[in-house]
């Protein structure tokens, strides 16, 4: 059994679709990035790669690579799953927290969990996602960005 941790943060800007956990979420701003900037899935990819001893997302999917421009991060997560499978590893469970002042994420949690469980080919009960605000403190609290942290166990 091995564990890994992941962290990511992206800037909130106008004119971008907000995508978290592979789910399109209605909001007046979205996250800026080379891919769809899905901060939750990026943290999750890093946690899985970390648990497998495979480095990080930047090493496997560099933001200088045009192939990854605007790509759905679900595709990156599936590629990470394949890299783990190649090493004979499989995700046991994941836990994650999204740090965002707005929007309210509770209505989208089940859809995010379902999307992630499908991508990782694991049971829904092995995918836990939480969300918190920072009570107005820091960049997340001021609505300048959203961050996410994830822990993954692989076996
Ligand atoms: Mg990122």
């Amino acid at each position: 059994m091995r564990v890994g941790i992941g962290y990511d943060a992206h800037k909130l800007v106008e004119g971008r679709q907000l995508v978290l956990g592979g789910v399109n979420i209605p909001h007046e701003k979205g996250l800026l990035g080379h891919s769809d900037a899905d901060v939750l899935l990026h943290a999750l990819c890093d946690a899985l790669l970390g648990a497998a001893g495979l480095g990080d997302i930047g090493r496997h999917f560099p933001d200088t690579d045009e192939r990854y421009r605007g790509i759905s991060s679900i595709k990156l997560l599936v590629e990470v799953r394949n890299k783990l499978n190649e090493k004979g590893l499989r995700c046991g469970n994941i836990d994650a927290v999204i740090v965002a002042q707005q929007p309210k994420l509770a209505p989208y949690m089940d859809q995010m969990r379902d999307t992630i469980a499908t991508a990782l080919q694991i049971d829904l009960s092995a995918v836990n996602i939480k969300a918190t605000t920072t009570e107005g403190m820091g960049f997340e609290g001021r609505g300048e960005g959203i961050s996410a942290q994830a822990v993954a166990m692989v076996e």
Side-chain angles (χ1 to χ4, degrees):
M1 214 181 275
R2 302 173 58 121
V3 295
I5 184 174
Y7 170 83
D8 196 20
H10 281 266
K11 202 182 278 185
L12 272 172
V13 296
E14 281 168 16
R16 291 269 299 184
Q17 169 70 50
L18 179 61
V19 186
L20 289 171
V23 178
N24 287 343
I25 295 171
H27 192 47
E28 68 266 24
K29 290 181 176 179
L31 295 171
L32 184 63
H34 185 67
S35 64
D36 63 0
D38 189 326
V39 72
L40 172 60
L41 294 192
H42 292 182
L44 184 51
C45 283
D46 265 354
L48 290 163
L49 290 169
L54 286 171
D56 64 23
I57 194 172
R59 188 175 112 192
H60 295 278
F61 314 109
D63 63 10
T64 48
D65 192 328
E66 282 304 312
R67 280 180 301 165
Y68 303 123
R69 181 178 295 282
I71 196 173
S72 165
S73 295
I74 281 289
K75 289 183 181 161
L76 304 183
L77 185 62
V78 168
E79 277 203 46
V80 166
R81 184 199 76 211
N82 289 336
K83 289 178 194 298
L84 263 63
N85 291 163
E86 281 165 21
K87 285 195 79 178
L89 295 167
R90 180 181 191 279
C91 178
N93 78 292
I94 66 114
D95 188 23
V97 56
I98 305 165
V99 184
Q101 196 66 35
Q102 281 185 329
K104 284 266 170 281
L105 298 174
Y108 309 100
M109 282 299 177
D110 284 344
Q111 207 184 334
M112 286 189 221
R113 288 177 61 220
D114 195 51
T115 304
I116 291 167
T118 301
L120 292 177
Q121 295 179 333
I122 58 176
D123 197 81
L124 192 58
S125 65
V127 179
N128 195 77
I129 305 166
K130 307 179 290 287
T132 186
T133 71
T134 57
E135 299 189 339
M137 297 182 288
F139 70 87
E140 301 100 328
R142 291 188 296 269
E144 293 166 11
I146 292 177
S147 69
Q149 300 179 44
V151 174
M153 186 274 280
V154 304
E155 46 196 351

